Amino acid sequence: MIRVLVVDDEALVRTGFTHILTTADDIEVVAAVPGGQAVRTVRDSRPDVVLLDIRMPDVDGLTVLADLRRMPDPPVVAMLTTFDADEYVTTALRSGAAGFLLKDTDPEQLPYLVRALAEGGTVLSSKVTRTVVDGYLDKGEREPAVRLAARLTERERTVLVLMADGLANADIGERMHLSAGTVKGHVSAVLSKLEVSSRVQAALIAERAGLLGPARDEDAG
């Protein structure tokens, strides 16, 4: 079972996400709480995935993210927002958020996206992928991104592209006919060479470096 914690200041949002996710046989919502209870609830319930509102009146979502990332074995965190473009998104991704979702994400897609997060995939809502990419790496950073990508071997570049498409390690291994351990090693090398801490950050550098197709606009990836 994938254990999920929903953190949002609006009770209606918490109830809606809980109802949608509990329809999936492999997902358990361990709690749905406002921001002020998030860190304590994570310590108590140890979720695999946290869906965290980026803007809350009682506590800032970025503050909660920072607290969670300092934990010894932090959960995967995806940020939630109602805005197509949010000035906090760049900071969230640089701080280690594993994804960025709009609150009006298609309900049928939500369990799939949670599974992708739990398996180590990257998740960016299709409505905001381009906005996030443009905000995360401005035009002046294209050349540094190209230089970083040039550090990768051919196989590592292939792994990076598949990471950017939202594939988890097991899926990458199946696609490339590699063992799980080998893929994990390649992913670690990619993150190290690109000087980033998350798969989302690596995916955005790949985008800016021109390694991905121009029409990459999918819910997971």
Side-chain angles (χ1 to χ4, degrees), residues 184-202:
K184 184 177 180 180
H186 285 317
V187 170
S188 296
V190 167
L191 296 179
S192 176
K193 290 182 179 181
L194 296 183
E195 301 178 5
V196 296
S197 60
S198 79
R199 298 165 75 107
V200 171
Q201 293 169 331

Side-chain angles (χ1 to χ4, degrees), residues 157-221:
R157 283 195 295 272
T158 301
V159 170
L160 173 58
V161 170
L162 295 177
M163 289 167 58
D165 282 338
L167 272 65
N169 287 359
D171 299 318
I172 294 174
E174 183 177 349
R175 185 78 62 87
M176 298 182 66
H177 307 291
L178 299 173
S179 69
T182 299
V183 173
K184 184 177 180 180
H186 285 317
V187 170
S188 296
V190 167
L191 296 179
S192 176
K193 290 182 179 181
L194 296 183
E195 301 178 5
V196 296
S197 60
S198 79
R199 298 165 75 107
V200 171
Q201 293 169 331
L204 296 175
I205 288 178
E207 177 87 31
R208 181 54 68 195
L211 299 182
L212 309 180
R216 180 177 168 269
D217 190 26
E218 301 172 2
D219 280 334

Side-chain angles (χ1 to χ4, degrees), residues 48-62:
D48 303 304
V49 175
V50 176
L51 302 181
L52 173 62
D53 189 3
I54 203 168
R55 288 182 173 181
M56 295 177 289
D58 55 346
V59 61
D60 184 79
L62 296 177

Side-chain angles (χ1 to χ4, degrees), residues 67-154:
D67 289 341
L68 297 182
R69 293 294 297 171
R70 283 194 291 267
M71 290 182 174
D73 186 19
V76 176
V77 181
M79 309 305 293
L80 301 174
T81 185
T82 57
F83 303 96
D84 284 3
D86 194 306
E87 62 269 27
Y88 295 157
V89 171
T90 297
T91 302
L93 293 177
R94 291 188 186 277
S95 299
F100 175 57
L101 300 175
L102 295 181
K103 292 183 183 180
D104 62 356
T105 296
D106 184 345
E108 293 185 359
Q109 286 293 312
L110 189 58
Y112 167 77
L113 298 176
V114 166
R115 293 184 191 105
L117 288 165
E119 293 170 2
T122 59
V123 170
L124 293 174
S125 173
S126 61
K127 295 182 180 179
V128 295
T129 297
R130 180 57 56 186
T131 299
V132 172
V133 169
D134 290 343
Y136 183 81
L137 290 172
D138 62 33
K139 294 180 180 178
E141 291 185 329
R142 176 178 174 81
E143 186 175 343
V146 171
R147 287 201 299 269
L148 287 170
R151 299 176 178 179
L152 305 178
T153 66
E154 182 177 353

Side-chain angles (χ1 to χ4, degrees), residues 14-73:
R14 298 196 301 267
T15 300
F17 270 64
T18 299
H19 175 73
I20 293 168
L21 291 174
T22 52
T23 61
D25 294 336
D26 59 339
I27 296 175
E28 175 189 4
V29 178
V30 295
V33 299
Q37 301 177 30
V39 175
R40 182 177 68 252
T41 305
V42 167
R43 290 197 181 104
D44 292 342
S45 61
R46 306 305 301 173
D48 303 304
V49 175
V50 176
L51 302 181
L52 173 62
D53 189 3
I54 203 168
R55 288 182 173 181
M56 295 177 289
D58 55 346
V59 61
D60 184 79
L62 296 177
T63 300
V64 175
L65 173 63
D67 289 341
L68 297 182
R69 293 294 297 171
R70 283 194 291 267
M71 290 182 174
D73 186 19

